Amino acid sequence: MRTTINQIKDMKQKGEKIVMLTAYDYSTAKVVDEAGVPLILVGDSLGMVVLGYESTIPVTMEEMLHHTRAVVRGTKQAMVIGDMPFMTYHVSVDDALRNAARFIQEGGAQAIKLEGGVTVAEKVRRIVECGIPVMGHIGLTPQSIHQLGGYKIQGKTSDAAANMLKDARALAEAGAFAIVLETVPTPLATLITQKINIPTIGIGAGIGCDGQVQIINDILGSFTDFVPKHAKQYARLADIIRNAVTEYYNEVKAGSFPTDKQSFSMDESVLAELK
Ligand code: KIV
């Protein structure tokens, strides 16, 4: 049985921290699922850390669905959340409903995530009414990066902080089951967490949130373009991969790979007939 939204909401009530990670492929998702992580986000960060785009903006529905299906195949216990890409929920409620439904029907996800607060609240309400769990995302919303003027900390002025609280309330009232707070000062994220009755999941939003989310490539050290301030590297996979590839390269060049252990034999008499 996969994690349910009620279990996630209960965790807030019990003061139990919620762990969430991204994953984009079958093998990684399987390990994350086996480690017991209850929420796996197929984030549109896929665009940057897997597909090599400069931002999340070029990511398409088809790319998201392709990777969501792989993550779903690799998981048994986690709730898999599909991230709605740029402009797949902005134009109309109909678009938002149809694309959210594609994540569930074609992708096999159990929930979707979308960016925005008050401005998307009506769409959240309608998606939830159709039986699709929605996770909100406010603070730094990378799909609006050109409007925000860069990857900057959000909510630092009193107007911006008040608006963020309004956004969080609007999402909770519309029926979202949790909200990601990205790049928000710790005291503001803590206040929002105290003021709303659904869990907050922070990324660069400090220790006062109900849970934390990280991009798996950041915590594993496999994405080398830059290390965001909010990320802690628990491993340096890029170094491990580089060393392994170099060793393989050197062994092939030296003729010391493969050995008998990685090779297959056959009956000598079959070979003799050919000769
Ligand atoms: O796309 C993503 O991975 C996200 C996380 C940063 C929450 O939205």
Side-chain angles (χ1 to χ4, degrees), residues 20 22 24 41 43-45 83 113 115 137 180 182 203 213 215:
M20 174 162 145
T22 67
Y24 315 97
L41 172 69
D44 63 354
S45 49
D83 207 2
K113 176 173 87 57
E115 296 182 5
H137 182 162
V180 168
E182 179 166 352
I203 175 162
V213 58
I215 291 172

Side-chain angles (χ1 to χ4, degrees), residues 138-139 153-168 184-185 188 192:
I138 56 175
I153 184 141
Q154 301 297 307
K156 287 190 87 168
T157 64
S158 53
D159 273 1
N163 283 336
M164 207 184 296
L165 181 57
K166 267 189 211 152
D167 283 336
V184 175
L188 177 59
I192 292 173

Side-chain angles (χ1 to χ4, degrees), residues 35-253:
V37 172
L39 297 177
I40 299 184
L41 172 69
V42 187
D44 63 354
S45 49
L46 162 82
M48 296 173 83
V49 300
V50 176
L51 302 177
Y53 299 147
E54 266 185 21
S55 74
T56 59
I57 289 170
V59 176
T60 65
M61 267 308 283
E62 301 314 319
E63 287 166 339
M64 288 304 301
L65 289 173
H66 178 76
H67 287 268
T68 301
R69 284 192 285 267
V71 168
V72 169
R73 285 193 289 269
T75 53
K76 290 196 172 85
Q77 64 77 28
M79 179 196 303
V80 176
I81 304 160
D83 207 2
M84 304 265 292
F86 181 57
M87 288 315 271
T88 62
Y89 55 97
H90 302 76
V91 177
S92 67
V93 171
D94 282 4
D95 260 9
L97 290 178
R98 256 191 282 278
N99 287 319
R102 288 192 74 191
F103 270 104
I104 310 297
Q105 276 189 313
E106 298 174 41
Q110 289 78 50
I112 61 101
K113 176 173 87 57
L114 46 73
E115 296 182 5
V118 172
T119 54
V120 294
E122 186 48 28
K123 286 163 185 153
V124 170
R125 188 184 314 282
R126 296 288 302 280
I127 297 170
V128 171
E129 275 169 8
C130 291
I132 300 172
V134 177
M135 176 177 273
H137 182 162
I138 56 175
L140 175 58
T141 45
Q143 291 173 9
S144 310
I145 203 62
H146 300 308
Q147 182 67 28
L148 296 175
Y151 295 93
K152 294 178 187 156
I153 184 141
Q154 301 297 307
K156 287 190 87 168
T157 64
S158 53
D159 273 1
N163 283 336
M164 207 184 296
L165 181 57
K166 267 189 211 152
D167 283 336
R169 286 191 161 130
L171 289 169
E173 278 161 22
F177 73 94
I179 303 176
V180 168
L181 299 180
E182 179 166 352
T183 320
V184 175
T186 302
L188 177 59
T190 307
L191 182 85
I192 292 173
T193 302
Q194 288 160 356
K195 295 263 183 202
I196 61 170
N197 61 1
I198 56 170
T200 58
I201 315 280
I203 175 162
I207 196 67
C209 295
D210 296 305
Q212 298 294 326
V213 58
Q214 286 284 302
I215 291 172
I216 187 136
N217 303 63
D218 288 338
I219 68 159
L220 296 182
S222 62
F223 179 70
T224 54
D225 290 6
F226 57 88
V227 182
K229 175 172 161 58
H230 61 65
K232 175 174 170 185
Q233 288 190 331
Y234 290 83
R236 289 184 185 272
L237 271 200
D239 292 344
I240 294 172
I241 294 169
R242 193 174 298 109
N243 290 340
V245 170
T246 305
E247 209 177 319
Y248 166 71
Y249 178 95
N250 290 339
E251 287 192 4
V252 171
K253 294 296 256 186

